[in-house]
Amino acid sequence: MRKVILQLDYYLGGQFAGLATGLARGMFASRGLDVSLVAPCTPGNEGAAVVAHQRQMSQMKDATVVVGVCEQNSLAADAPLVAFGAMFDRSPLAVARRRGQPLRRVAAHVDSLKLMEAALDGYAGGVRGVAVQEVSRVDEAHRKALLVGGEVDGIQCYHTTEPLSWFDSTSAMDVLPVCATAPGGIGSLDLGYSQALFATKGADPAVLGAFLDGLFEGWRAASADPIRAGEEIAALPADDNDTALFGAAGRDALFHG
């Protein structure tokens, strides 16, 4: 078996359904891969984390391949890294707002400020530009409090990770994709694919190809039975440290809302 380590860019949730299903149903193992997970690193440091971990493996004469994932393919052209695939053909980046309210001020994560500013430039219900400010905490309760309290008109969110109640037609909020070509999307950019997968240059292409095959088979199965896929995410082992892989709310938060 060839070992593969996946450096996560965020806590385990719906955006990793294909991965969880692939692990649970042996879709990686059947391709000769032993895949393990590393807890999320600081946003924006995914590339550096993969390089450091792969260097450590090389120094130990270990043939393990280290793979990373990041929201957009933002890897520097001169970095010793190469993107080799992606999980989504369209970014899940979105803005949640109070239903029917104009969008003037949006709270965004520090690693997405520039992207959000560029994407929302020109969108403000007919008025050019939206003011984007950094949110100090990214947990659901804090972001929602900013919105409900009127400090901002919108908060950055993701279609893959927020509570289902946010998307209910009876909710006090509505969720707008930040992608010009998405149905109901806003903004000026077509963000294209997301959750880019990358590895160091020189990584074994056969291992990367087998990883993609197992992952995409996992996504097909997860899409066919999302309830079971959610259960498989929640059942992923965390070495008695749920907080590291699932966040402070733990794995039970996968089924809230």
Side-chain angles (χ1 to χ4, degrees), residues 133-156:
Q133 65 187 60
E134 180 182 337
V135 63
S136 59
R137 287 164 41 197
V138 299
D139 57 280
E140 173 198 335
H142 178 68
R143 289 181 294 130
K144 189 171 182 179
L146 291 177
L147 184 63
V148 174
E151 184 173 333
V152 296
D153 307 307
I155 51 176
Q156 176 184 339

Side-chain angles (χ1 to χ4, degrees), residues 234 242 246-247 249-257:
D242 274 14
F246 291 92
R251 63 184 70 221
D252 290 341
L254 290 168
F255 300 101
H256 73 328

Side-chain angles (χ1 to χ4, degrees), residues 16 18 32 46 57 84 124 155-156 176 187 189 200 228 246:
F16 293 114
E46 296 89 353
M57 294 296 104
F84 66 91
I155 51 176
Q156 176 184 339
L176 309 173
L189 300 180
T200 55
R228 181 180 174 186
F246 291 92

Side-chain angles (χ1 to χ4, degrees), residues 26-191:
M27 295 167 180
F28 295 107
S30 67
R31 292 171 168 83
L33 301 182
D34 177 9
V35 178
S36 59
L37 310 179
V38 174
C41 60
T42 302
N45 286 353
E46 296 89 353
V50 167
V51 170
H53 208 156
Q54 188 66 75
R55 183 180 297 118
Q56 181 183 27
M57 294 296 104
S58 299
Q59 291 172 345
M60 296 169 59
K61 307 299 184 184
D62 190 319
T64 296
V65 174
V66 183
V67 173
V69 59
C70 56
E71 182 180 345
Q72 305 290 148
N73 182 8
S74 56
L75 305 174
D78 60 347
L81 300 164
V82 60
F84 66 91
M87 288 196 280
F88 305 143
D89 63 359
R90 178 181 292 142
S91 173
L93 184 63
V95 170
R97 67 173 180 182
R98 287 172 292 173
R99 188 173 296 277
Q101 294 298 308
L103 200 59
R104 298 288 188 269
R105 296 165 298 162
V106 172
H109 307 167
V110 62
D111 61 327
S112 303
L113 283 174
K114 292 183 178 180
L115 175 62
M116 292 289 284
E117 287 172 350
L120 295 176
D121 184 36
Y123 178 82
V127 179
R128 183 170 181 77
V130 173
V132 179
Q133 65 187 60
E134 180 182 337
V135 63
S136 59
R137 287 164 41 197
V138 299
D139 57 280
E140 173 198 335
H142 178 68
R143 289 181 294 130
K144 189 171 182 179
L146 291 177
L147 184 63
V148 174
E151 184 173 333
V152 296
D153 307 307
I155 51 176
Q156 176 184 339
C157 65
Y158 294 91
H159 275 278
T160 52
T161 55
E162 311 301 347
L164 291 175
S165 58
W166 288 24
F167 303 91
D168 192 302
S169 60
T170 63
S171 169
M173 299 189 298
D174 57 359
V175 179
L176 309 173
V178 181
C179 184
T181 57
I186 62 175
S188 57
L189 300 180
D190 180 2
L191 297 181

